[in-house]
Amino acid sequence: MKFLKYEMILSKCNAVTTCAWMLLSLFPVVIAEDALFNSSSIQTVHRGMSVNISCNYKPSNDSDGFTVELHSNSKLCSVMKSNKSWIKQSCKDHCRFVWIPETVQMSFEVSNLQINDTGTYKCVVTRLIPPPSQLLREEKTFVQVIVPPNVSVSHEGALGEFPTIVCRSEGFYPSALEQMWMRNGEFQNASLTYSINKTNPDGSFTLHSFLNTSDCVNYSCWVNHSTLSQPTILTLTPADCYENRDWYKENGWIVFVTSALFFLTILIIMIV
Ligand SMILES: *[C@@H]1O[C@H](CO)[C@@H](O)[C@H](O)[C@H]1NC(C)=O
Ligand SMILES: *[C@@H]1O[C@H](CO)[C@@H](O)[C@H](O)[C@H]1NC(C)=O
Ligand SMILES: *[C@@H]1O[C@H](CO)[C@@H](O)[C@H](O)[C@H]1NC(C)=O
Ligand SMILES: *[C@@H]1O[C@H](CO)[C@@H](O)[C@H](O)[C@H]1NC(C)=O
Ligand SMILES: *[C@@H]1O[C@H](CO)[C@@H](O)[C@H](O)[C@H]1NC(C)=O
Ligand SMILES: *[C@@H]1O[C@H](CO)[C@@H](O)[C@H](O)[C@H]1NC(C)=O
Ligand SMILES: *[C@@H]1O[C@H](CO)[C@@H](O)[C@H](O)[C@H]1NC(C)=O
Ligand SMILES: *[C@@H]1O[C@H](CO)[C@@H](O)[C@H](O)[C@H]1NC(C)=O
Ligand SMILES: *[C@@H]1O[C@H](CO)[C@@H](O)[C@H](O)[C@H]1NC(C)=O
Ligand SMILES: *[C@@H]1O[C@H](CO)[C@@H](O)[C@H](O)[C@H]1NC(C)=O
């Protein structure tokens, strides 16, 4: 338990403001060991949504004065209770303290979550009155922000007779994603696929997979991600393939006619 005490003090010093407050404090910090449960829950939230981070602590004495703070990498929100009322509140834009008097519940609401908001959040309750100041609770919650992939399949310019097809899974988070090609419903060897995997500026991922087709049959892209209740399967049917080949033939003909006309023009100019 002595080790626990040191660990708690060091972790408090990670937040510069808390550390400064500790140095300024005239009262020694006493750790109420039985009140410190390092339980950590996980909340999975879609981007743009909100999450409630519970402090999981009920103040036992109405006349106590204490602070409640929300930390992630920095301090996001802090409120103070004194003389049976909440007197001070300073919070970042997307954070809000929620107090439900009926159930004596304290929590923080963090809204419009973005990918870079993924991380561990701590609710820290510290009693100031009566002295000595005492850490009453430190409740950790891990917030995992998720974004499903936007999946599409299409023909990439036909280099040869049969088109190269591309499957795009865009803007997903976290990075773990399975993307595979199927030919007439059978999984294709991954070695036939060429993939490009990149990180977007917002921290999300994009995966493009290319496959050189060798016939006009059903080709499907199969994608699985933790955000999907079942794998997404998008199919290019033979009709799409023939359409593409017709387009290629038409354009090949146009290229032929254009270059023939060009040489004819040069020939006429030379003769003249
Ligand atoms: C709580 O912390 C103690 C000491 O740091 C550790 O031994 C214990 O495994 C932790 N419990 C949980 C549930 O994380
Ligand atoms: C968070 O709690 C507040 C107040 O209890 C409630 O109105 C809101 O719907 C909750 N939000 C989520 C995402 O659970
Ligand atoms: C609450 O705190 C007050 C003043 O600090 C004290 O007189 C009182 O006994 C406490 N009540 C309980 C139930 O602990
Ligand atoms: C998915 O991608 C398509 C094509 O790039 C785009 O038009 C569409 O708006 C995207 N959908 C979402 C939900 O981002
Ligand atoms: C190809 O796909 C179409 C429609 O998606 C389906 O009706 C047909 O049975 C498929 N053919 C094969 C050989 O899988
Ligand atoms: C996939 O490739 C391996 C080795 O290159 C080969 O043994 C196997 O038969 C291939 N599977 C299919 C379905 O083509
Ligand atoms: C597909 O064909 C192009 C052009 O012939 C080649 O550069 C590429 O490596 C091929 N891709 C795969 C996955 O075989
Ligand atoms: C894409 O790249 C990320 C980061 O480099 C990696 O974690 C992930 O496993 C890669 N995904 C695939 C499908 O290769
Ligand atoms: C987090 O991401 C959002 C949107 O992608 C961006 O506006 C914000 O500046 C980022 N914050 C940090 C600290 O990087
Ligand atoms: C899809 O992925 C999820 C988690 O990422 C996994 O639990 C599930 O079994 C996968 N489904 C298939 C059909 O592979």
Side-chain angles (χ1 to χ4, degrees), residues 194-246:
Y194 170 68
S195 296
I196 300 171
N197 176 6
K198 66 172 195 218
T199 307
N200 302 314
D202 65 358
S204 68
F205 295 91
T206 284
L207 186 66
H208 290 182
S209 295
F210 300 85
L211 181 72
N212 291 339
T213 58
S214 55
D215 47 13
C216 279
V217 297
N218 285 351
Y219 279 98
S220 317
C221 182
W222 183 98
V223 174
N224 192 21
H225 188 249
S226 57
T227 52
L228 303 173
S229 56
Q230 62 186 56
T232 296
I233 302 174
L234 297 182
T235 302
L236 287 166
T237 61
D240 299 319
C241 175
Y242 286 121
E243 214 169 85
N244 192 275
R245 290 181 77 196
D246 289 346

Side-chain angles (χ1 to χ4, degrees), residues 69-131:
E69 295 178 336
L70 180 69
H71 295 257
S72 60
N73 294 323
S74 57
K75 186 154 79 180
L76 297 175
C77 199
S78 109
V79 293
M80 190 183 279
K81 186 177 186 264
S82 179
N83 292 329
K84 301 180 184 181
S85 61
W86 299 95
I87 55 165
K88 236 202 284 183
Q89 181 157 7
S90 76
C91 293
K92 295 261 167 73
D93 276 350
H94 62 307
C95 301
R96 190 168 71 90
F97 178 67
V98 180
W99 166 248
I100 305 170
E102 296 80 43
T103 53
V104 205
Q105 276 177 321
M106 306 187 291
S107 64
F108 289 96
E109 188 183 49
V110 185
S111 51
N112 191 22
L113 285 159
Q114 297 301 310
I115 286 169
N116 56 14
D117 292 323
T118 293
T120 302
Y121 290 74
K122 270 191 298 188
C123 175
V124 182
V125 185
T126 313
R127 192 188 67 197
L128 301 176
I129 299 162

Side-chain angles (χ1 to χ4, degrees), residues 17-37:
T17 44
T18 318
C19 199
W21 170 81
M22 277 175 63
L23 293 171
L24 290 170
S25 170
L26 294 171
F27 311 115
V29 174
V30 178
I31 316 275
E33 282 164 345
D34 59 341
L36 288 169
F37 298 109

Side-chain angles (χ1 to χ4, degrees), residues 32 34-43 52-60 66-70 86 97-100 103-109 121-126 135-142:
D34 59 341
L36 288 169
F37 298 109
N38 48 357
S39 64
S40 177
S41 67
I42 297 173
Q43 297 240 33
N52 282 337
I53 294 162
S54 168
C55 295
N56 209 359
Y57 181 78
K58 294 186 180 182
S60 53
F66 54 87
T67 61
V68 188
E69 295 178 336
L70 180 69
W86 299 95
F97 178 67
V98 180
W99 166 248
I100 305 170
T103 53
V104 205
Q105 276 177 321
M106 306 187 291
S107 64
F108 289 96
E109 188 183 49
Y121 290 74
K122 270 191 298 188
C123 175
V124 182
V125 185
T126 313
L135 180 60
L136 298 173
R137 182 82 195 178
E138 189 174 87
E139 177 80 359
K140 287 181 191 169
T141 304
F142 185 79

